[in-house]
Amino acid sequence: MSPLVSFAHIAVLVTLVIAAFLAVTLRDLMSSVIALAAASLLLALEYYLLHAPDVAIAEAAIGAALSTAIYIFAVRATRR
Amino acid sequence: MIGEMSRIVRTMTNIIFGFIVVFGFYVIAHGHLSPGGGFQGGAIVASAFALLLVTYGTEVIQQYIAKDLLSVIESTGLILFGSFGFLGISATYFYNIVANSGGLFGSPTVIGVNPGDLNTSGTIALMNIAVGLEVLAALGVIVLTMSAAAEIIQNKEKS
Amino acid sequence: MKKPIFILAFIFFAAFMFMAAIDMRPFGEPARSEMDDYFIENAQVQASSNNVVTSIVFDYRGFDTLGEGTVLFTAVIGIVALFREVAK
């Protein structure tokens, strides 16, 4: 594995952990949902780096787009 | 979301919606050649529906996309997928009998490393289309139903 | 009262995760197995699809995909039945 690819792996994974931590700790629910979407998108990027483009497409479409939309509908329907 | 979002969001949605839908159907149709397939392409098209719902609100979209029609498409996709498996019942269930036979999706497959031909691979392409229709309609129904319910609950709490 | 339990559970969970991470194999191992080689060799001849992943999902493991479609169908039935009361 070339050093550039290793660096890309490490950068994506560290950012993924930061985004997941933010999704748990943020007080505002809407910001937390956006952090979860960012974590999902970074996970899709990691799948792509691991040569699994099928899983990356599914993760980007379902995790980052559809579940974020459903979470936003749910947050809007409840009292903050 | 009550009502529609700002003019900037609406303009961007009008531009980008067609491209997302066309890309989703491209992923479905080229499932036997390129990464992706029925499930992934259907999820992409359904995410375009979610974009429309977030931008324009539920009441406007429900005039254009009927939930009952989506339910019918979903059931049809699953039944089609099950019945395409019966095409090769002379050998086994899921046997690929349409491949290399001449007709639709039946051109002979070139063995080895090649760029690929769209008109190959028999029942695999047909099953991709069936599963794509099913996933598209299923995720569309889920997003549409939850958005409508959220809007109704919001209106109840306001009054 | 709750806080020490949470801290204890967190320590246990983190310890198990670290143990799993230390015991993990090196990246990319095991390299191959007979099953992968068989699919890569024969997928184009037997299933006549250029994309090996699609030929596994729709031909070799077709029943798996049928079950996945059924699970999605059941999820849609559940959601529509759940929100029918709200929409009334």
Side-chain angles (χ1 to χ4, degrees), chain B residues 31-32 34 39 74-75 81 93-94 96 99 109-110 112 114 116 121 124 127-128 131 134-135 138 141-142 145 149 152, chain C residues 44-51 54-55 58-59 62-63 65-66 68-70 72-73 75-76 79-80 83 86-88:
Chain B
H32 53 288
S34 60
F39 192 82
E74 185 206 353
S75 314
F81 178 63
Y93 196 57
F94 282 118
N96 196 345
T109 311
V110 185
N114 60 330
S121 85
I124 289 179
M127 284 175 182
N128 260 322
V131 169
E134 193 232 336
V135 171
V141 166
I142 289 177
T145 311
I152 287 168
Chain C
Q44 216 175 17
V45 181
Q46 290 174 346
S48 75
S49 161
N50 273 4
N51 189 352
T54 311
S55 66
F58 285 101
D59 198 286
F63 282 104
T65 312
L66 191 61
E68 176 221 296
T70 316
L72 199 61
F73 190 75
V76 170
I79 284 176
V80 171
F83 286 108
V86 176
K88 225 180 252 178

Side-chain angles (χ1 to χ4, degrees), chain B residues 99-153:
Chain B
N100 305 325
S101 69
L104 182 66
F105 294 120
S107 300
T109 311
V110 185
I111 307 299
V113 179
N114 60 330
D117 182 10
L118 188 61
N119 196 17
T120 56
S121 85
T123 52
I124 289 179
L126 294 171
M127 284 175 182
N128 260 322
I129 292 169
V131 169
L133 283 181
E134 193 232 336
V135 171
L136 179 166
L139 295 177
V141 166
I142 289 177
V143 175
L144 208 60
T145 311
M146 296 198 75
S147 146
E151 188 150 322
I152 287 168
I153 290 173

Side-chain angles (χ1 to χ4, degrees), chain A residues 53-55 57-58 61-62 65-66 69-70 72-74 76-79, chain B residues 1 35-36 39-40 43-44 46-47 139 142-143 146-147 150 153-154 157:
Chain A
D54 286 276
V55 193
I57 292 174
I62 293 177
L66 279 172
I70 289 176
I72 285 177
F73 293 145
R76 283 228 168 103
T78 52
R79 282 198 208 88
Chain B
M1 184 67 208
F39 192 82
Q40 286 88 354
I44 290 172
S47 72
L139 295 177
I142 289 177
V143 175
M146 296 198 75
S147 146
I153 290 173
Q154 231 170 355
E157 285 200 349

